[in-house]
Amino acid sequence: LFLSPFLCVMDAKRAADVTALVPSKRAKDGNNNNKQLAQTNANNNKLIAAGPARTSSLIAPTMLLEGHEDAIHSCQYSPDGQIIASGGLDRRIYLWNTFGDCDNYAVLPGHSGAVNEVKFNNDGSNLYSVAVDKTCVVWDVQAGGRVRRLKGHSDIVNSVAAARHNEHTFVTASDDCTLRVWDARRRGAVKTIANKFQVLACEMSTDGDLAYSSGIDNVVKMWDLRTDKLFSTLEGHSDSVTGMSLSPNGKHLITNSMDNSVNMWDVQPYATQRLLKTFKGAMHNFEQNLIKLAWTPDGKHIGCGSADRNVYVWEVFSQRIVYCLPGHKGSVNQVTFHPEEPIVLSCSTDKKMYQGELHL
């Protein structure tokens, strides 16, 4: 008896899984069970979840947070990831639950001008906010009240960065061409560093010895806070720098610029090559918003807002865009990542925030 090679190969194939989501053929008896929207296991008749596996504790892969009355400029997770803080053109700080229904449980009035940025300190006990009213406010997160209003800047305060080495130190950047270092327990600035041009963004090194700043002069500056002198300059952008973020290991700095590029710098003290990579995709427009960016906790991806209403996420090693997330109806002004789970948070001029579950 002669057996066709084709039949031999077919007989040797493994039987299809009874829980396969896409059947190869419709049953000959005309039964339409293959069209069912939910799949069940033939052995125990239990429902099988369709679609990709969930990766976070959110109750849905995408969560919408609404409540602001005007454009949102900044959003931030607390260090433990349980709280979201946001601020914007409506001059108030909003506190939200990260999980569950993402309820807005507190609204903190106190600024008389638009809030430009919010940042938690390293243990999450305090929140810092800076605004158009030339002030920085220290908030008690648990009590939901103002601890101290800090005055000293003579023009709009654009950015704030909290120290990683202690819970009291932070730095602010202003249109008055200064970078100021503060202690949350004191009223006056600890240090004032003068620049020639308006400063739009700032950050602090892991050990607190260096501060980074940049603005309309297109140059990123590294300041030695022990001597109050300029340590190094990083040149590579051709337009104003609107945001910066230090990597989790403290070795690299990313900066976003109105030249529609995101640069990655080596900020180790004696690095020989400073500019390492340039990421393309995110853009600015005529609004000239101070668009901010962030690292994932593992340092393998970065994310940035964009004037084209999308959220961009890149893989650092390959510089490849792994996510371009639509949904907002206005410029995305800040992107940040959850400290423990694969969740991205974005805020926009459309008065909305989104939390999105990622598969990284």
Side-chain angles (χ1 to χ4, degrees):
L1 180 63
F2 175 77
L3 293 178
S4 167
F6 175 76
L7 293 176
C8 293
V9 171
M10 291 300 292
D11 290 340
K13 286 186 175 180
R14 180 172 56 86
D17 188 351
V18 294
T19 62
L21 294 179
V22 182
S24 58
K25 291 184 180 179
R26 179 182 297 179
K28 291 184 179 180
D29 60 1
N31 191 336
N32 289 327
N33 288 338
N34 288 332
K35 292 185 177 181
Q36 61 189 352
L37 297 179
Q39 298 291 322
T40 57
N41 188 303
N43 296 327
N44 53 24
N45 205 35
K46 288 185 178 179
L47 191 68
I48 299 174
R54 294 294 306 279
T55 61
S56 77
S57 302
L58 296 175
I59 62 175
T62 303
M63 298 295 293
L64 170 63
L65 288 72
E66 291 184 295
H68 275 278
E69 299 175 1
D70 215 323
I72 309 173
H73 294 159
S74 181
C75 57
Q76 199 71 214
Y77 283 112
S78 62
D80 63 3
Q82 298 299 310
I83 300 172
I84 295 170
S86 60
L89 205 55
D90 56 11
R91 302 176 294 178
R92 300 181 182 93
I93 309 298
Y94 287 65
L95 299 179
W96 315 74
N97 290 316
T98 300
F99 299 108
D101 292 329
C102 302
D103 298 317
N104 169 222
Y105 70 88
V107 179
L108 310 178
H111 283 290
S112 59
V115 178
N116 284 330
E117 191 167 17
V118 294
K119 282 284 179 67
F120 285 93
N121 68 343
N122 69 350
D123 65 3
S125 60
N126 288 335
L127 178 74
Y128 308 130
S129 61
V130 294
V132 172
D133 61 11
K134 310 175 187 178
T135 67
C136 175
V137 174
V138 182
W139 306 90
D140 185 314
V141 176
Q142 186 174 4
R146 189 175 71 190
V147 176
R148 187 166 286 111
R149 180 195 295 272
L150 301 173
K151 298 180 179 181
H153 284 293
S154 59
D155 210 331
I156 295 170
V157 189
N158 297 307
S159 181
V160 59
R164 297 181 181 181
H165 68 289
N166 70 52
E167 66 271 23
H168 304 298
T169 306
F170 62 98
V171 62
T172 56
S174 171
D175 277 357
D176 65 7
C177 306
T178 66
L179 188 72
R180 294 177 188 256
V181 181
W182 307 82
D183 186 320
R185 299 165 294 185
R186 298 173 53 182
R187 289 197 172 275
V190 177
K191 293 178 182 290
T192 300
I193 299 174
N195 286 261
K196 292 183 179 180
F197 303 96
Q198 291 93 324
V199 189
L200 304 180
C202 61
E203 184 61 284
M204 289 193 76
S205 64
T206 301
D207 58 12
D209 289 338
L210 295 175
Y212 312 103
S213 69
S214 191
I216 66 170
D217 57 355
N218 316 338
V219 177
V220 179
K221 298 176 181 178
M222 301 170 61
W223 301 93
D224 190 330
L225 297 181
R226 295 164 296 186
T227 62
D228 298 343
K229 294 182 179 180
L230 184 64
F231 178 79
S232 182
T233 57
L234 312 178
E235 298 184 9
H237 284 298
S238 59
D239 209 335
S240 300
V241 176
T242 63
M244 59 177 57
S245 179
L246 188 67
S247 64
N249 63 12
K251 296 180 180 180
H252 302 109
L253 185 77
I254 49 174
T255 54
N256 180 37
S257 170
M258 290 185 185
D259 63 11
N260 298 331
S261 71
V262 172
N263 282 349
M264 175 178 168
W265 311 87
D266 188 335
V267 291
Q268 297 178 88
Y270 300 104
T272 56
Q273 182 179 353
R274 292 297 188 184
L275 180 58
L276 300 179
K277 297 181 180 182
T278 298
F279 303 85
K280 294 288 188 177
M283 60 182 293
H284 288 254
N285 62 8
F286 64 92
E287 296 177 72
Q288 296 187 332
N289 290 349
L290 301 182
I291 297 176
K292 302 171 181 66
L293 68 178
W295 296 79
T296 55
D298 60 7
K300 295 181 179 179
H301 297 83
I302 61 172
C304 187
S306 178
D308 64 4
R309 308 177 183 181
N310 294 319
V311 173
Y312 287 86
V313 179
W314 294 267
E315 183 183 54
V316 173
F317 179 77
S318 65
Q319 300 174 243
R320 178 175 59 94
I321 296 176
V322 293
Y323 281 99
C324 178
L325 303 173
H328 283 291
K329 296 180 180 179
S331 173
V332 180
N333 296 320
Q334 184 162 9
V335 168
T336 190
F337 295 95
H338 193 276
E340 297 178 359
E341 300 193 21
I343 304 171
V344 63
L345 172 67
S346 60
C347 64
S348 169
T349 55
D350 64 7
K351 312 176 190 178
K352 299 176 181 179
M353 293 191 294
Y354 283 102
Q355 289 194 93
E357 184 177 282
L358 302 177
H359 294 260
L360 296 173

